[in-house]
C-alpha cells in the first residue's frame, strides 16, 4: 500500500484507521474521503488530505483515485444494523450500490479494495457457537443481506477481474474515540460512557445475549494486516472471521464493576436490537485468519476495560474543560 483512500473516513472505524495508516504510510499518502454531512475535524483534517467522496457517486471516487494515484481503497461507507432496518433501501444503495461503484473504479485503476463484512452476515440458521469460516449465511436483516452480497461481489471481482479484494468480518467494535451510530453492539461502547460519567446504564439487550466484540486497536491492525498479507497464502478472501472476546451484558457489567465498584445497570430492552442480536453468532471460529495471515488479537475483556476507562476519563475531562473555557 502506497497511496490509500478511505471512503467513510469520518466514521467510527475510518477516523481511527486513517490516523493509524498515516502513521505507517505517511500523512500525505492517506486521503480521508468524506460526505459533506460529516466533514473531518481537528487532527483528522489537519494531518493530511481530505476530499468529498460520496460512495454513491462513481465519478467522485474515480476523480480522487486519479488525483492521488490511489492503489488501495478502504471502503467503510455503510449504515449499521439497527439504522439499516429503518432505511433498508438506503442501506442497499450505500452497502451494495456503493461497493459496486468502488469495485468498478478499482477494476479500471488497478486498486486493491478492503470492504468490511460483519458478524451480521450470519443469521438464525448459522451454527451460533464457534461459527465456522465457511458455513450457512442466511441473515435476517438488510444489513446482513448487504454484507453477504458484498462478500460475494468482492470475491467475484477478484476471480473475474483480478481485483485484489480482501476483508474481515468485524465483531462489535469498542473504542473511546468516535462513537458508533445505530449498531446492535453499540451497548458495549455506551456502557463505558455511563460508567465513567457515573450514570446508571440502561442495557438494551437481555442477560445471556452473547456476541463477539473487539477492541478498536486490534480491529485496525486486522484491517491493515489482511491488506499486507502474502496473497499466495490466502485460501479465503472475503471475508475472514476474526475474534478476540465474546461476552453478554452481565459479563461486561461485572468486569467494569471491578474498576468502578458503584456502577449500576438496569435492563430496558430494545426489541429490534434484541431480535437482531439473537440472530447473530455467540462466538466465531477465527482459525482460518490465524492460519492464512497470522491473525492474533492482543486485547481481552480485562485489558480493554482498563484501557477504555483510562482513556475515556481523559477524553471526557478534556471535553468538559473545553466547554468551560
Ligand atoms: C452493528 O452492530 O451493526 C455493527 C456490526 C456488528 O456489524 N457493530
Amino acid at each position: 500500500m502506497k497511496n490509500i483512500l478511505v471512503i467513510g473516513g469520518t466514521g467510527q472505524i475510518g477516523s481511527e484507521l486513517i490516523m493509524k495508516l498515516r502513521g505507517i504510510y505517511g500523512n500525505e499518502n492517506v486521503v480521508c474521503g468524506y460526505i459533506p454531512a460529516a466533514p473531518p475535524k481537528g487532527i483528522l483534517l489537519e494531518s493530511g488530505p481530505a476530499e468529498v467522496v460520496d460512495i454513491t457517486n462513481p465519478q467522485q471516487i474515480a476523480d480522487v483515485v486519479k488525483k492521488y494515484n490511489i492503489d488501495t481503497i478502504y471502503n467503510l461507507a455503510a449504515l449499521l444494523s439497527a439504522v439499516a432496518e429503518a432505511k433498508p433501501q438506503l442501506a442497499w444503495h450505500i452497502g451494495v450500490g456503493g461497493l459496486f461503484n468502488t469495485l468498478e473504479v478499482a477494476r479500471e485503476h488497478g486498486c486493491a479494495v478492503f470492504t468490511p463484512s460483519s458478524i451480521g452476515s450470519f443469521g438464525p440458521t448459522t451454527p451460533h457457537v464457534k461459527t465456522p469460516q465457511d458455513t450457512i449465511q442466511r441473515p435476517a436483516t438488510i444489513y446482513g443481506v448487504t454484507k453477504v452480497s458484498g462478500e460475494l461481489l468482492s470475491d467475484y471481482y477478484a476471480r473475474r477481474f483480478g481485483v485484489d479484494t480482501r476483508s474481515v468480518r468485524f465483531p462489535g467494535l469498542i473504542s473511546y474515540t468516535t462513537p458508533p451510530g445505530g449498531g446492535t453492539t453499540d451497548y458495549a461502547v455506551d456502557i463505558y460512557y455511563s460508567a465513567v460519567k457515573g450514570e446508571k446504564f440502561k442495557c438494551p439487550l437481555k442477560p445471556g445475549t452473547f456476541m463477539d466484540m473487539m477492541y478498536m486497536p486490534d480491529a485496525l491492525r486486522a484491517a491493515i494486516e489482511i491488506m499486507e498479507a502474502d496473497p499466495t497464502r490466502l485460501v479465503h478472501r472475503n471475508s475472514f472471521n476474526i475474534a478476540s472476546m465474546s461476552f453478554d451484558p452481565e459479563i461486561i457489567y461485572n468486569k467494569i464493576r471491578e474498576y468502578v465498584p458503584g456502577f449500576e445497570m438496569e435492563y430496558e430492552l430494545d426489541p429490534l436490537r434484541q431480535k437482531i442480536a439473537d440472530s447473530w453468532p455467540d462466538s466465531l471460529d477465527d482459525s482460518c485468519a490465524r492460519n492464512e495471515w497470522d491473525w492474533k488479537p492482543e486485547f481481552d475483556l480485562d485489558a480493554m476495560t482498563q484501557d477504555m476507562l483510562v482513556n475515556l476519563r481523559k477524553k471526557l475531562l478534556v471535553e468538559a474543560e473545553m466547554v468551560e473555557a
Side-chain angles (χ1 to χ4, degrees):
M1 293 195 278
K2 289 198 184 80
N3 299 313
I4 303 164
L5 167 63
V6 180
I7 301 176
T10 57
Q12 188 203 12
I13 306 173
S15 55
E16 292 194 54
L17 180 64
I18 289 174
M19 296 313 297
K20 179 143 179 125
L21 289 169
R22 284 181 177 162
I24 300 170
Y25 301 96
N27 284 352
E28 291 311 310
N29 304 325
V30 182
V31 182
C32 173
Y34 66 96
I35 50 168
K41 294 185 189 127
I43 187 77
L44 190 59
L45 177 65
E46 287 147 22
S47 61
E51 297 278 351
V52 172
V53 181
D54 180 340
I55 198 160
T56 63
N57 181 338
Q59 195 54 52
Q60 252 173 28
I61 306 172
D63 288 347
V64 173
V65 163
K66 277 188 266 179
K67 180 172 171 187
Y68 292 90
N69 199 18
I70 296 296
D71 57 65
T72 304
I73 302 173
Y74 280 89
N75 161 23
L76 304 179
L79 299 189
L80 290 184
S81 52
V83 168
E85 280 310 302
K87 300 175 185 172
Q89 295 82 359
L90 185 62
W92 179 266
H93 191 45
I94 294 173
V96 182
L99 172 59
F100 179 76
N101 295 338
T102 307
L103 290 170
E104 272 298 290
V105 172
R107 181 178 68 78
E108 278 177 28
H109 297 276
C111 306
V113 180
F114 173 93
T115 306
S117 185
S118 158
I119 52 172
S121 68
F122 297 109
T125 50
T126 301
H128 267 41
V129 177
K130 286 275 165 209
T131 301
Q133 171 67 38
D134 300 311
T135 186
I136 300 164
Q137 285 180 285
R138 305 283 296 173
T141 61
I142 186 67
Y143 180 68
V145 171
T146 66
K147 289 301 180 192
V148 176
S149 306
E151 291 188 11
L152 294 173
L153 198 57
S154 298
D155 272 349
Y156 178 77
Y157 267 70
R159 246 190 343 263
R160 176 79 168 79
F161 301 117
V163 177
D164 187 0
T165 57
R166 309 175 186 193
S167 61
V168 296
R169 294 179 181 134
F170 277 136
L173 299 183
I174 296 169
S175 83
Y176 56 86
T177 306
T178 308
T184 303
T185 58
D186 293 8
Y187 92 90
V189 177
D190 299 339
I191 192 170
Y192 286 104
Y193 277 84
S194 294
V196 169
K197 287 179 180 170
E199 293 166 358
K200 189 179 207 174
F201 180 61
K202 291 187 168 50
C203 185
L205 300 178
K206 63 184 183 208
T209 309
F210 279 82
M211 284 185 286
D212 257 318
M213 303 279 179
M214 184 173 288
Y215 199 32
M216 189 61 90
D218 275 335
L220 301 181
R221 214 167 34 73
I224 295 171
E225 285 177 7
I226 178 66
M227 296 312 281
E228 291 288 10
D230 173 359
T232 62
R233 286 181 61 198
L234 298 183
V235 179
H236 299 85
R237 278 184 170 270
N238 303 281
S239 303
F240 282 92
N241 284 0
I242 55 169
S244 59
M245 62 188 95
S246 167
F247 54 74
D248 81 331
E250 288 291 309
I251 293 176
I252 186 172
Y253 168 63
N254 285 316
K255 177 52 70 182
I256 294 173
R257 273 175 62 92
E258 286 178 22
Y259 300 98
V260 186
F263 181 44
E264 288 182 290
M265 175 170 91
E266 65 185 355
Y267 287 95
E268 197 175 279
L269 297 192
D270 173 341
L272 172 64
R273 283 183 167 80
Q274 186 65 55
K275 197 168 168 208
I276 296 174
D278 287 343
S279 77
W280 288 357
D282 293 359
S283 60
L284 299 190
D285 172 354
D286 63 357
S287 49
C288 289
R290 288 173 185 260
N291 293 336
E292 293 174 38
W293 49 279
D294 304 323
W295 156 249
K296 195 169 183 299
E298 285 173 0
F299 285 86
D300 61 12
L301 177 59
D302 188 56
M304 174 178 81
T305 297
Q306 292 190 44
D307 204 64
M308 272 297 281
L309 292 173
V310 167
N311 283 295
L312 207 48
R313 273 191 197 111
K314 275 192 216 153
K315 177 185 156 170
L316 296 182
L317 204 63
V318 171
E319 284 176 3
E321 280 167 5
M322 279 164 64
V323 171
E324 273 172 28

